[in-house]
Amino acid sequence: MFIDIQAFFETTPVSATFAVETIKIRPEQISTDSRAIPEGGLFIPLRGEFHDGHAYLLKSFELGAQAAFCEKQVYEANRNTYADLPLLLVENCLSAYQALARQWRRQLNIPVIGITGSSGKTSTKEILAAVLSPFLKVHKNKANFNNEIGVPKTLLEIPVDAQVAIIEMGMRGQGQITELAEIAEPNLGLITQIGTAHLSELGSQANIADAKWELAKFLEAHQGKLFAQAEDPLQRLAAQQTPQLAISWCGESEDSLVRLLSVTEYDTFQEIEYQVQAGKVHTLQLMMPGRHQVRNLLLCLGVLSALGYVLPEHTQIEPEQLFGRNQIIELPNSATLINDAYNANPESMRATLEVFGRRKAKRKIAVLGKMGELGPQSPQLHAELGKFCSQLELDYLIGLGDETQILIENAERGAFQRLWFQEHAECIQALTQLLAPGDLLLLKASRSAQLEKLIEGLTFVPESEGA
């Protein structure tokens, strides 16, 4: 199935150096990487912090491209070089890329579900995919392709037989969720939680709430529906901005579309009882720990109900396990590592540590790195997390990096040993000596803390001499 290029031209100002009637492009033939351009493909040169894709225009044609986008000012500056190339001239290649992705989304005309929130976006995406996949062919973002480049890439990767698309939407500032919503044009939306992530960019939780609620405003303007956390006061307050929006609250409150009745928590899964629209009591198992994940699940069950489906009783919901997100790794010395170090903020830290503190193990060792993007409030929030840790049932609490020193200092009332290291190498050395069979080790931090270096050190098995 080809992209309707004529429809794309109607929404995006384009001039061409060739007869555009000859161009036929399937979405899988579009690439922003000249090295991966397929035969007969369309190359879209994007500008990055360190590179400009226009530098690879000529190379893309050598590798088999049939056409390429080019920004008009670049073409004018290189007219002699580019004169004979089949180019689609646009003002901005990124904007054109986004418009092309939107055109493909419109052609497919399937439900698109947007997900945003301060934390839990990726987990919720995976839970929602697991909830919907028994009924529908699901397409979703790979990894964390959730920004102004990743979202159009995700849309262009939707296969023609997909029945629903799940689009995670990240943001770093005001207006970015609006931009992503205008690209993906979601029919339904989920907001997981409004917390303190991105304080450094937005300054306050109120500003964060406004930025996340941009998804709700888009849905209101396009007759969509939002699924929101019933117990999140910031979402309740933000709802006043969108009085015409259909909002389905999900949680424990009486006005919840999907209402939680009970949760029985185990180390690696949870048994849940819930109702939809105060109807029959349903039971299922969520094969991941944490009450916060139950709240995310309720949003997903709301979407399932809106699409007209009901899970069979005692269904096991087992989301795909992703690297750095509650990932279980068995270490060579028979200790178990939980890698949850892809991202962190005060809310996700507390939720993860609370679950970890209740786990059963010979010894429990938590290694925490910094929480990024907290701005001037970072020392205070790290200190508060340290005080929170004091009440946890741990054997060791270990901080890694400058930002965690104040965290460890403020955990002085905890009934566990406290250690702090500035460098990864010394932390690896200490853990290698400390860990024993039956121990449970948690790694939790923002991605910038690079705790994956600890995994590399702890899983390295030197080859025996002479091998």
Side-chain angles (χ1 to χ4, degrees):
M1 184 174 175
F2 297 108
I3 293 180
D4 188 339
I5 291 294
Q6 294 304 319
F8 164 70
F9 289 159
E10 291 173 6
T11 62
T12 306
V14 180
S15 56
T17 63
F18 65 105
V20 294
E21 295 81 5
T22 63
I23 188 170
K24 290 185 177 181
I25 294 290
R26 294 184 177 90
E28 63 269 21
Q29 293 178 292
I30 297 169
S31 179
T32 60
D33 184 347
S34 64
R35 298 165 298 182
I37 193 77
E39 185 70 28
L42 174 66
F43 175 54
I44 303 181
L46 300 181
R47 297 178 186 270
E49 186 177 356
F50 302 108
H51 300 284
D52 184 346
H54 289 90
Y56 307 100
L57 266 177
L58 295 175
K59 187 69 174 178
S60 72
F61 286 101
E62 292 174 9
L63 294 173
Q66 68 163 302
F69 282 4
C70 180
E71 293 182 1
K72 292 178 180 178
Q73 62 178 9
V74 175
Y75 178 77
E76 291 301 329
N78 298 273
R79 181 181 286 270
N80 292 336
T81 303
Y82 296 160
D84 297 326
L85 298 180
L87 300 176
L88 298 170
L89 306 181
V90 296
E91 293 296 333
N92 181 281
C93 282
L94 177 57
S95 297
Y97 181 48
Q98 294 166 347
L100 201 60
R102 181 169 53 244
Q103 174 55 39
W104 181 242
R105 177 260 181 275
R106 289 176 177 175
Q107 281 180 238
L108 295 177
N109 194 28
I110 60 174
V112 172
I113 305 163
I115 299 177
T116 193
S118 296
S119 59
K121 294 184 293 297
T122 301
S123 297
T124 303
K125 175 191 71 177
E126 297 303 329
I127 294 171
L128 182 57
V131 166
L132 296 181
S133 59
F135 309 99
L136 300 166
K137 181 167 182 180
V138 176
H139 180 75
K140 60 183 180 177
N141 312 64
K142 295 177 182 176
N144 64 331
F145 291 165
N146 63 6
N147 63 9
E148 66 276 9
I149 296 174
V151 166
K153 176 178 174 62
T154 299
L155 293 172
L156 286 166
E157 290 174 346
I158 300 176
V160 293
D161 60 345
Q163 296 171 298
V164 64
I166 303 171
I167 307 297
E168 178 184 335
M169 299 177 176
M171 68 96 187
R172 300 178 302 278
Q174 301 282 2
Q176 292 183 335
I177 297 298
T178 296
E179 177 185 10
L180 298 180
E182 289 175 347
I183 298 167
E185 296 185 341
N187 316 96
L188 305 173
L190 285 72
I191 297 181
T192 59
Q193 183 187 34
I194 296 173
T196 51
H198 306 297
L199 269 177
S200 60
E201 294 94 342
L202 293 168
S204 71
Q205 275 192 286
N207 289 340
I208 294 169
D210 286 344
K212 296 299 182 183
W213 210 253
E214 290 171 12
L215 175 58
K217 291 179 178 179
F218 178 90
L219 292 168
E220 181 185 46
H222 296 83
Q223 294 76 53
K225 176 176 284 191
L226 179 72
F227 300 85
Q229 298 275 10
E231 279 69 54
D232 187 338
L234 287 172
Q235 292 193 46
R236 291 282 190 175
L237 184 62
Q240 297 175 17
Q241 302 176 35
T242 50
Q244 302 304 315
L245 175 63
I247 302 178
S248 292
W249 299 101
C250 301
E252 297 180 61
S253 64
E254 291 185 0
D255 65 344
S256 296
L257 168 71
V258 180
R259 188 179 183 190
L260 179 66
L261 301 179
S262 70
V263 180
T264 304
E265 298 184 63
Y266 300 91
D267 275 359
T268 58
F269 71 97
Q270 304 173 80
E271 291 184 347
I272 297 152
E273 288 188 332
Y274 68 98
Q275 288 176 305
V276 179
Q277 294 181 327
K280 177 185 174 183
V281 176
H282 299 280
T283 304
L284 59 75
Q285 289 184 342
L286 177 62
M287 309 307 289
M288 59 196 310
R291 192 67 173 259
H292 57 297
Q293 302 293 10
V294 175
R295 291 193 292 270
N296 295 333
L297 170 64
L298 297 177
L299 297 174
C300 299
L301 294 173
V303 172
L304 184 71
S305 174
L307 293 175
Y309 300 102
V310 178
L311 288 170
E313 293 304 307
H314 308 294
T315 296
Q316 289 187 348
I317 303 299
E318 190 163 6
E320 180 182 350
Q321 188 179 83
L322 301 178
F323 179 82
R325 301 178 191 274
N326 202 37
Q327 178 190 15
I328 306 299
I329 300 173
E330 298 299 331
L331 297 177
N333 66 352
S334 297
T336 299
L337 185 154
I338 302 174
N339 176 21
D340 201 24
Y342 189 85
N343 208 351
N345 54 58
E347 293 78 27
S348 66
M349 274 283 201
R350 289 175 185 239
T352 299
L353 286 164
E354 193 172 26
V355 172
F356 184 70
R358 293 197 298 267
R359 294 286 296 266
K360 304 298 182 185
K362 181 179 178 181
R363 295 185 304 176
K364 290 179 287 189
I365 304 163
V367 178
L368 306 183
K370 69 176 180 179
M371 301 178 288
E373 300 181 327
L374 296 179
Q377 297 184 50
S378 180
Q380 175 190 340
L381 292 170
H382 280 87
E384 290 175 358
L385 182 61
K387 293 175 182 177
F388 172 82
C389 289
S390 297
Q391 62 186 311
L392 300 175
E393 293 184 15
L394 303 174
D395 294 282
Y396 287 86
L397 179 66
I398 300 174
L400 175 59
D402 292 336
E403 292 87 344
T404 65
Q405 189 167 12
I406 192 172
L407 186 160
I408 298 299
E409 291 171 354
N410 279 269
E412 76 276 5
R413 294 188 179 182
F416 45 74
Q417 294 193 52
R418 295 175 294 137
L419 301 172
W420 177 79
F421 302 102
Q422 190 168 35
E423 302 295 337
H424 291 80
E426 54 184 347
C427 187
I428 292 170
Q429 183 177 12
L431 287 171
T432 301
Q433 297 172 355
L434 176 64
L435 286 169
D439 286 348
L440 191 60
L441 171 65
L442 171 69
L443 305 184
K444 182 68 176 173
S446 287
R447 181 69 181 80
S448 56
Q450 297 184 307
L451 292 199
E452 69 274 7
K453 291 182 179 180
L454 302 186
I455 302 173
E456 294 170 5
L458 294 173
T459 56
F460 174 73
V461 179
E463 295 183 9
S464 55
E465 291 187 21

